[in-house]
Amino acid sequence: MTRVLVIGAGGVFGSRLCEGLLRHGFEVVAAGRDIGRARAVAARFKTAFPDGVVEAAALDTATLTAGGLTSTGAAIVADAAGPFQGAEPATARAAIAAGLHYVDLADGRAFVADFPALDAAAKAAGVVALTGCSSTPALSNAVLDRLTEGWREVVSVEAAISPGARAPRGLSVMQAILSWLGRPVRVFLDGAWTTRSGWSGLYRRDFGQAGRRRVSLCETPDLDLFPARFQPRERALFLAGLEPWTTHLGAWLLARLVSLWRFDPVPLAGLLVRLSGWAAGFGSDRGAMRVEAFGADEDGRAAHAVWRLVAEPGEGPVTPSLPALAAIRAIAAGRVEAGARPCVGVLALEDIVAEMAPHGLATETVAERGAIFARAIGPAFDGLPAAIRALHETSGRSVWRGEATTEGAAGPLAALVARTVGFPKAQAACPAEVAIDADGARSIWRRRIGGHAFASVLSHPLEGGRVRERFGPMAMDLRLTSEGDRLVYRVEGWRIGPVPLPRALAPSTRAHEAVDAEGRFVFDVEISLPLVGRLVRYRGWLVRES
């Protein structure tokens, strides 16, 4: 059977990789800098797998040679030692020089980006060298390959990882995080490359059975690979979080301090490992991962897809080792071409998921219409005129221009409410512009009519045509119905902030969308309040800016 040399076999991820290899019948050489520790690790594996072949070896990645690798008798070298941030691919070079296949669990952005420089040497030696055989970028890219299969366009992609509170956080992992925390990170946002601070942003994401968690910007190879491979029109993010919430907030605050005062936090790694251990008892021990894509499917309709992984307590740390295990099995079976490259587009998602079977890992994929109106209205949405569907179906950012007429508030009290919300005053035929930002979960409409700007946010799509539209502090619960060639809006409830208010005092609306004789999208919206009267009425037509 194929023999695999695992460097860092006693570490958090290396030990899981060894277990997976032995389960599949591979021979394992457990290697580390300290031969005594390596022997202890090998003995533990031998006890767990009495029929397996396990040996120990002393190897230091700082001084190893091609001859040292060859002497282990291994055909494949797996580097799970880390950290890879700021490191050179010395182990990969030595493996290629020795004529051995190589995989690693690198998550260092520069390390992975520079790795293809070894491609010519690997091909000449007839060996495979794969970097990033871990949750990022191997698993995240395999998921996105599946989610976006057949799509016409990708608007945005995002991956997020949130380990369980008691997941082991070794020194090398902490040093890797601190190497970019609070420092400039190059990221693709709003259709262009820009810079943000590492661990900036306090995003909240739904991890399914693991609940909603806070995550922040994380520097990984995916920040380069996502834009290169999927060419999103607007955004590509990789986020990470810590449990419990207080630990995540502490990391966020430290990032702010690093950004402001420009000091090196890496020397704090040991202290932070101990602090995170003390806080572990206060958070969920479920690990979780989430990958999301938004774009246009093969029919040009807005599409939204989310893949989630939830690990039961104690099982989360196995996840980063599974892509490496799948890659080693594929190499041993002769299914990977020679050459050196990141482990993206190499493994199918099914190859990695198959390795999850022995562990407490559950995955789910949710694929849905990307337009919130299409999800709320259901099949009747596809029967609406094309101009109406196009405006609500367009993915990402779109701009629509035309002409409108407005009627202002009906009285002084109505005018006061209208000013609070931001509704326009009365104007005759004037230029109208609507910029729509749709991300699959909500649509932000920024209107400008005759130089007067106001905005609303449409969200919370539910079956039966129900959505919520928020104007400033006021939100209306709407029901949308397809009536012939028109889309009609009716108010079913309202609230100020999160507080529901009596329906008897709810705003009333007479609103519909249609198509005129020239095939243009037309709108007619009137909003009134009981005892106050009309707040605004605006009507007109729009066409999409090319």
Side-chain angles (χ1 to χ4, degrees):
M1 191 61 180
T2 304
R3 174 171 288 203
V4 181
L5 169 67
V6 180
I7 301 173
V12 174
F13 306 133
S15 62
R16 270 71 174 185
L17 177 58
C18 289
E19 292 168 3
L21 290 168
L22 289 166
R23 188 177 295 111
H24 284 296
F26 287 87
E27 297 180 1
V28 170
V29 180
R33 285 174 295 193
D34 185 304
I35 186 60
R37 185 181 178 191
R39 286 171 177 163
V41 170
R44 176 163 57 85
F45 292 142
K46 186 63 178 175
T47 299
F49 298 90
D51 296 329
V53 176
V54 189
E55 295 181 5
L59 282 176
D60 189 336
T61 55
T63 59
L64 61 79
T65 63
L69 296 179
T70 303
S71 67
T72 66
I76 302 174
V77 177
D79 187 354
F84 295 92
Q85 283 75 6
E88 290 290 324
T91 305
R93 288 196 190 102
I96 293 170
L100 307 179
H101 300 299
Y102 168 90
V103 302
D104 66 42
L105 279 70
D107 59 355
R109 186 174 183 178
F111 186 96
V112 172
D114 295 341
F115 197 82
L118 304 177
D119 186 54
K123 287 178 177 176
V127 299
V128 176
L130 298 176
T131 186
C133 305
S134 189
S135 302
T136 168
L139 177 55
S140 53
N141 277 264
V143 173
L144 283 173
D145 284 336
R146 180 66 66 240
L147 294 184
T148 62
E149 190 172 14
W151 283 17
R152 287 188 186 179
E153 180 187 36
V154 175
V155 174
S156 64
V157 292
E158 177 185 293
I161 291 179
S162 178
R166 285 175 285 282
R169 295 187 178 101
L171 185 62
S172 63
V173 173
M174 186 63 72
Q175 289 171 335
I177 294 172
L178 293 177
S179 70
W180 49 260
L181 186 139
R183 297 177 179 177
V185 172
R186 189 166 176 262
V187 61
F188 188 74
L189 286 174
D190 299 324
W193 287 98
T194 187
T195 300
R196 294 288 187 271
S197 292
W199 213 266
S200 61
L202 285 174
Y203 306 96
R204 197 176 183 193
R205 293 293 184 263
D206 181 5
F207 286 90
Q209 294 182 7
R212 298 183 68 84
R213 298 184 178 184
R214 297 285 183 176
V215 287
S216 298
L217 177 64
C218 176
E219 181 163 62
T220 78
D222 282 329
L223 293 182
D224 293 322
L225 291 168
F226 284 172
R229 299 191 70 240
F230 301 100
Q231 300 184 341
R233 173 156 49 93
E234 295 184 4
R235 189 181 69 169
L237 282 178
F238 196 100
L239 309 172
L242 295 172
E243 279 287 296
W245 154 240
T246 51
T247 302
H248 185 89
L249 180 61
W252 181 85
L253 291 171
L254 178 60
R256 295 286 293 170
L257 294 176
V258 172
S259 179
L260 289 172
W261 293 343
R262 304 286 192 240
F263 66 91
D264 183 6
V266 174
L268 301 174
L271 173 62
L272 294 176
V273 167
R274 292 192 295 273
L275 289 175
S276 65
W278 295 337
F282 298 97
S284 169
D285 198 29
R286 278 182 163 180
M289 182 173 178
R290 180 182 189 275
V291 182
E292 179 179 26
F294 178 61
D297 66 14
E298 65 275 11
D299 298 318
R301 303 185 307 185
H304 180 240
V306 179
W307 178 91
R308 298 184 184 92
L309 177 151
V310 176
E312 291 304 313
E315 292 289 353
V318 76
T319 307
S321 71
L322 299 181
L325 178 57
I328 290 170
R329 294 187 66 194
I331 292 170
R335 292 190 282 112
V336 184
E337 293 183 2
R341 56 201 182 276
C343 188
V344 296
V346 175
L347 301 172
L349 177 59
E350 292 74 15
D351 295 332
I352 304 173
V353 171
E355 304 299 342
M356 299 179 184
H359 309 284
L361 305 176
T363 65
E364 66 168 347
T365 301
V366 177
E368 58 188 1
R369 296 287 291 269
I372 62 172
F373 276 32
R375 294 210 301 277
I377 296 169
F381 178 85
D382 293 323
L384 289 167
I388 297 176
R389 286 186 282 111
L391 184 135
H392 294 294
E393 189 87 82
T394 302
S395 306
R397 181 174 176 82
S398 59
V399 178
W400 305 75
R401 290 195 169 94
E403 186 177 275
T405 298
T406 65
E407 298 175 28
L413 183 55
L416 177 62
V417 176
R419 281 198 301 273
T420 301
V421 175
F423 290 146
K425 298 178 181 179
Q427 298 178 83
C430 58
E433 176 185 295
V434 180
I436 301 175
D437 285 288
D439 64 7
R442 63 178 188 169
S443 292
I444 303 173
W445 289 39
R446 297 180 176 89
R447 304 168 178 87
R448 181 173 291 276
I449 298 178
H452 188 98
F454 65 108
S456 69
V457 180
L458 289 148
S459 61
H460 296 79
L462 297 171
E463 291 184 5
R466 291 171 291 170
V467 299
R468 182 173 298 164
E469 184 168 21
R470 177 170 56 81
F471 292 90
M474 182 180 73
M476 295 184 292
D477 295 322
L478 304 175
R479 183 177 292 274
L480 312 174
T481 56
S482 173
E483 300 181 5
D485 289 337
R486 304 197 314 172
L487 179 61
V488 178
Y489 295 55
R490 292 183 175 86
V491 177
E492 292 198 334
W494 73 307
R495 62 192 68 227
I496 298 294
V499 182
L501 298 174
R503 291 191 62 177
L505 300 177
S508 61
T509 182
R510 290 190 298 115
H512 70 269
E513 298 168 354
V515 178
D516 64 13
E518 298 178 46
R520 301 177 301 195
F521 173 91
V522 297
F523 57 92
D524 190 339
V525 180
E526 181 175 347
I527 302 173
S528 304
L529 276 178
L531 307 179
V532 174
R534 184 185 68 234
L535 301 180
V536 70
R537 182 183 182 190
Y538 50 95
R539 59 188 187 277
W541 57 268
L542 296 168
V543 294
R544 186 178 181 183
E545 182 183 66
S546 60

